[in-house]
Amino acid sequence: MNYVVGDVVQMKKPHPCGTNEWEVLRVGVDFKLRCLNCNHLIMLPREKFEKSVKKLLRHNETK
């Protein structure tokens, strides 16, 4: 799956704030994500990110 900046993904495990929806802010070897509920920022290695994603909720079409 190819992810782009602006995509919204659903993770398998919820964040402590209660949501499991994250916006992709950076794509590469590491992924930078922002929680859509509390705006918390995290960075994950690509391998861990791809294992943790449950599904793609919204795809960013702009280039």
Side-chain angles (χ1 to χ4, degrees), residues 28-40:
V29 176
D30 294 320
F31 279 73
K32 186 173 188 178
L33 306 172
R34 179 176 59 88
C35 177
L36 292 180
N37 190 34
C38 68
N39 293 322
H40 183 79

Side-chain angles (χ1 to χ4, degrees), residues 7-24:
D7 284 354
V8 176
V9 295
Q10 181 180 19
M11 303 300 266
K12 291 179 182 176
K13 292 186 178 180
H15 188 248
C17 72
T19 188
N20 58 357
E21 294 182 4
W22 296 81
E23 179 184 6
V24 177

